[in-house]
Amino acid sequence: MIPVSVTRDDVAHVARLARLAMSEQELDQMHGYFEAILEHFAKLAAVDTEGVEPTSHPLARANVTREDCVTEPMDRTKLLANAPLADGECFLVPQIMEDE
Amino acid sequence: MTTQPLIGLEVHAQLLTASKMFCGCPTEFGAPPNTQVCPICTAQPGALPVPNQRAVEMTILTGLALHCDIAPRSVFARKNYFYPDLTKNYQISQYEQPLCENGYVLIDTESGPKRIRVRRVHLEEDTGKNIHGGAGAASRIDFNRCGLPLMEIVSEPDLTSADECRAYLQKLQLILRWIGVCNGNMEEGSMRCEPTVNVIEVGGSAKTALVEIKNLASFRAVHQAVDYEILRHTRALLAGESTTRETRRWLAEGRTETMRSKEEAHDYRYFPEPDLMPLEVDEAMVTRIGADMPEGPDEVRERLIEQYELSSYDATVMTQSREFAAFFEAAAGAAEDPKAVANWMQGDFARLLNETGTPLAESKVSPAGLADLVRLIADGAISGKMAKTVFERMFETGKAPALIVDEEGMSQISDTSALEPVIDKAIADNPEAVENYRSGKKKALGALVGQIMKETKGQANPALVNELLVQRLGE
């Protein structure tokens, strides 16, 4: 069984990767939630998985593919209609900085 | 301290499918922004991906061409990161179970052939394109490229110089084009390369931290950037300076700069993609796909040397593409003089294709036409010099060489009785040259030959003229 534990720093790291700004108070709260969730999942460790192959999908199917055929693309006006900001051709986002 | 650079190359190759990796959007390059998109590749809520069967087959074909093991079971994974060019906030890729593993590419080096191991070939989707530097403080995003099928081909760090990196890339490009899975165009970004470089102490434990280089859009840039990093790492190692694991960007001014530290950026939290079923590839499927495999460039090259007695150099030039090799073989088979065919193909033919920007496939010259031309020269019907003019006409018009010779009255005069009066006249007109020749100055013959060629508008058979002249003057 893999010991499950999460530190407050782990939570801060995951928040950063997910681009979520969190206050100190929120981090403490999230840390509690994380621990509770992981504790809950730790119960799965009680299941005997000896000799069971790791699964990547719950359905026992494989090779669900499509033929290489072109379909009609989406209308650009419709696509951009839902964007918070667009210039008729492209989506607009705040200027991207290469360094985070 | 003796040092040794170690370089691995990560190559992304866009597959030549008609539609994208997980949806039916078209894949043409250069379409107006956001006109080749749909709910799937722009990640609208509820849209689900379905893999392109042809992309899977092309990746397996590539794996076979690179001598890889094809995985009987392979899964897609989510690579999680946040960036505006990614619609889903994750990229569908492969992680623990790629389609192909443990292959190699054979490259030519100064010390002979070298095997560069290929760690893995996996299938993934491309990201969108950010267009920076627009008006105001905004970046513009075009998702046409988002979801295009990409193969990622990862080598082991078996490369030890910038020259080897170039040789590896050129070979990989040749193979991918040869089997028809990628157009290999680095400028359009359909083949992209990211080298990973560090330098180690030979026989010791000192080494620099791995650095990945981005922003390389040509073979030349790869060569320069790798050279630059080898020097930077070697200096740091010799000076005992510490280095950091990072991603660096190549700049047009000829140096690299830090882009981001590696540990942070590479925390991708991969997990199996729940929207996609695994791929199971049985032997029957591998056999069926392998049946489409053409004879590879290395094999064809060896065969040309063997079968047509070409030099190693000529054989390499003739196998620069599958089309070129096929053209050569078709012409050489009909011409009885393969070496002459090879000379034409890398000489005047290559020059004209290049000058006019014509792809071989669109050239008006047929293999049979080139074979006919080579035969006309061998038979003495036209001189080598006339043949050059004939070939240019063939290239312009696509007409058969014999027809061009007829139409333009270019046939060579190889008839002794027709040449004799001209030779007599030349001798009569140039007593001085005749005198000089007879007194031992053999070069004086040139003046006589020159006049005869002029009189016959270059159509006299030069070998015959020489022979007749020497005979006449010796009398």
Side-chain angles (χ1 to χ4, degrees):
Chain A
M1 169 188 162
I2 305 155
V4 180
S5 79
V6 62
T7 67
R8 197 172 173 281
D9 284 348
D10 291 333
V11 179
H13 178 64
V14 172
R16 193 172 128 71
L17 288 173
R19 304 293 188 276
L20 295 173
M22 295 216 150
S23 68
E24 295 297 310
Q25 205 185 345
E26 282 172 318
L27 276 179
D28 285 335
Q29 196 184 19
M30 280 294 157
H31 187 205
Y33 291 162
F34 265 52
E35 286 199 316
I37 291 166
L38 289 170
E39 227 169 83
H40 183 70
F41 273 87
K43 287 179 184 159
L44 289 173
V47 179
D48 180 11
T49 56
E50 192 68 35
V52 179
E53 285 286 307
T55 185
S56 60
H57 203 279
L59 301 180
R61 291 183 68 188
N63 299 341
V64 180
T65 58
R66 42 173 273 273
E67 291 289 313
D68 182 23
C69 294
V70 172
T71 53
E72 189 63 30
M74 192 175 171
D75 178 70
R76 183 164 71 184
T77 317
K78 274 188 194 163
L79 173 76
L80 295 176
N82 287 331
L85 218 52
D87 65 3
E89 286 189 334
C90 288
F91 292 90
L92 297 181
V93 297
Q95 193 155 40
I96 299 157
M97 309 299 283
E98 287 289 357
D99 295 308
E100 292 152 19
Chain B
M1 188 196 291
T2 318
T3 61
Q4 169 74 67
L6 296 177
I7 308 140
L9 292 186
E10 200 176 287
V11 171
H12 284 95
Q14 190 197 317
L15 292 167
L16 289 170
T17 54
S19 65
K20 287 187 179 179
M21 184 61 222
F22 297 113
C23 63
C25 285
T27 56
E28 275 114 57
F29 179 78
N34 294 306
T35 55
Q36 299 186 154
V37 291
C38 75
I40 294 170
C41 58
T42 56
Q44 306 296 324
L48 285 172
V50 186
N52 185 330
Q53 176 67 23
R54 186 84 191 106
V56 173
E57 290 172 0
M58 283 177 163
T59 306
I60 293 170
L61 187 68
T62 304
L64 292 174
L66 303 182
H67 317 278
C68 290
D69 302 326
I70 309 302
R73 184 186 160 87
S74 167
V75 299
F76 289 101
R78 287 190 184 178
K79 179 180 180 178
N80 300 280
Y81 67 97
F82 287 77
Y83 206 63
D85 62 7
L86 210 55
T87 49
K88 300 188 290 291
N89 289 335
Y90 58 84
Q91 178 190 26
I92 302 177
S93 181
Q94 294 195 289
Y95 188 54
E96 280 178 328
Q97 292 172 280
L99 262 175
C100 319
E101 285 183 288
N102 304 322
Y104 66 88
V105 171
L106 216 51
I107 62 165
D108 286 321
T109 70
E110 277 182 3
S111 48
K114 180 174 172 182
R115 202 181 261 222
I116 307 301
R117 289 170 299 157
V118 170
R119 185 183 299 166
R120 57 188 278 149
V121 180
H122 77 236
L123 195 48
E124 62 183 31
E125 57 176 343
D126 207 346
T127 62
K129 209 168 96 187
N130 301 321
I131 306 159
H132 304 289
S139 289
R140 308 171 73 222
I141 321 279
D142 171 10
F143 288 118
N144 283 349
R145 204 181 64 181
C146 194
L148 290 180
L150 283 186
M151 275 189 307
E152 182 174 308
I153 303 164
V154 186
S155 88
E156 295 289 348
D158 290 347
L159 299 152
T160 56
S161 69
D163 283 352
E164 285 189 8
C165 290
R166 184 170 51 201
Y168 172 84
L169 278 179
Q170 284 171 339
K171 189 60 178 286
L172 198 56
Q173 184 191 49
L174 173 68
I175 293 170
L176 298 181
R177 284 176 171 167
W178 195 281
I179 62 174
V181 297
C182 175
N183 70 23
N185 189 328
M186 284 192 82
E187 282 72 30
E188 287 180 7
S190 45
M191 185 168 148
R192 309 198 278 271
C193 169
E194 285 155 18
T196 305
V197 182
N198 77 335
V199 173
I200 61 159
E201 174 191 6
V202 177
S205 60
K207 61 180 177 187
T208 57
L210 279 180
V211 159
E212 188 178 326
I213 317 169
K214 289 190 185 281
N215 194 32
L216 301 168
S218 66
F219 286 137
R220 191 162 163 264
V222 172
H223 193 271
Q224 288 177 328
V226 167
D227 253 350
Y228 178 90
E229 280 299 304
I230 289 175
L231 188 65
R232 200 177 65 82
H233 283 248
T234 306
R235 279 181 180 156
L237 192 62
L238 292 175
E241 289 163 11
S242 75
T243 48
T244 45
R245 197 181 155 101
E246 60 182 356
T247 301
R248 296 178 73 87
R249 183 197 348 252
W250 174 248
L251 304 168
E253 66 200 70
R255 62 180 184 91
T256 62
E257 67 172 16
T258 299
M259 215 167 133
R260 57 177 179 247
S261 97
K262 201 140 182 166
E263 290 83 355
E264 193 66 32
H266 278 218
D267 197 343
Y268 291 130
R269 295 149 292 141
Y270 285 95
F271 63 85
E273 165 60 276
D275 288 344
L276 295 169
M277 306 294 154
L279 296 171
E280 282 176 3
V281 183
D282 59 15
E283 265 183 52
M285 186 172 170
V286 174
T287 309
R288 179 173 60 77
I289 293 167
D292 289 342
M293 179 75 74
E295 188 184 13
D298 287 335
E299 289 79 33
V300 174
R301 183 169 166 268
E302 288 313 305
R303 196 166 50 71
L304 295 189
I305 293 172
E306 180 94 358
Q307 191 175 335
Y308 299 99
E309 294 176 355
L310 290 191
S311 68
S312 166
Y313 176 82
D314 283 349
T316 303
V317 180
M318 291 308 110
T319 49
Q320 62 185 268
S321 72
R322 198 170 155 196
E323 296 71 32
F324 213 75
F327 192 106
F328 167 78
E329 286 213 75
E336 293 148 31
D337 187 356
K339 173 67 189 161
V341 171
N343 287 346
W344 277 99
M345 287 190 67
Q346 60 196 296
D348 290 56
F349 198 6
R351 178 179 57 79
L352 288 170
L353 288 172
N354 202 19
E355 280 173 8
T356 56
T358 312
L360 181 66
E362 286 166 30
S363 155
K364 289 178 180 159
V365 179
S366 67
L370 180 56
D372 285 347
L373 180 70
V374 167
R375 206 176 307 111
L376 286 178
I377 305 163
D379 292 348
I382 52 172
S383 69
K385 202 175 167 196
M386 284 148 82
K388 279 177 171 290
T389 312
V390 174
F391 186 78
E392 282 183 12
R393 297 276 183 284
M394 289 167 68
F395 191 83
E396 286 160 18
T397 64
K399 285 181 184 168
L403 185 65
I404 294 168
V405 168
D406 261 9
E407 281 180 358
E408 314 220 356
M410 292 168 85
S411 69
Q412 186 163 259
I413 305 168
S414 298
D415 178 356
T416 310
S417 61
L419 287 176
E420 266 169 352
V422 192
I423 290 171
D424 287 343
K425 184 168 184 295
I427 289 172
D429 287 353
N430 297 280
E432 201 179 330
V434 171
E435 187 66 24
N436 286 340
Y437 178 81
R438 286 194 168 134
S439 64
K441 288 181 189 154
K442 300 294 177 202
K443 273 189 186 167
L445 203 63
L448 297 170
V449 173
Q451 183 179 332
I452 294 159
M453 294 313 283
K454 204 172 158 190
E455 293 267 337
T456 59
K457 299 190 177 67
Q459 284 174 260
N461 179 336
L464 186 59
V465 167
N466 251 298
E467 190 190 314
L468 292 173
L469 260 178
V470 169
Q471 196 181 24
R472 182 68 55 84
L473 295 172
E475 278 165 6

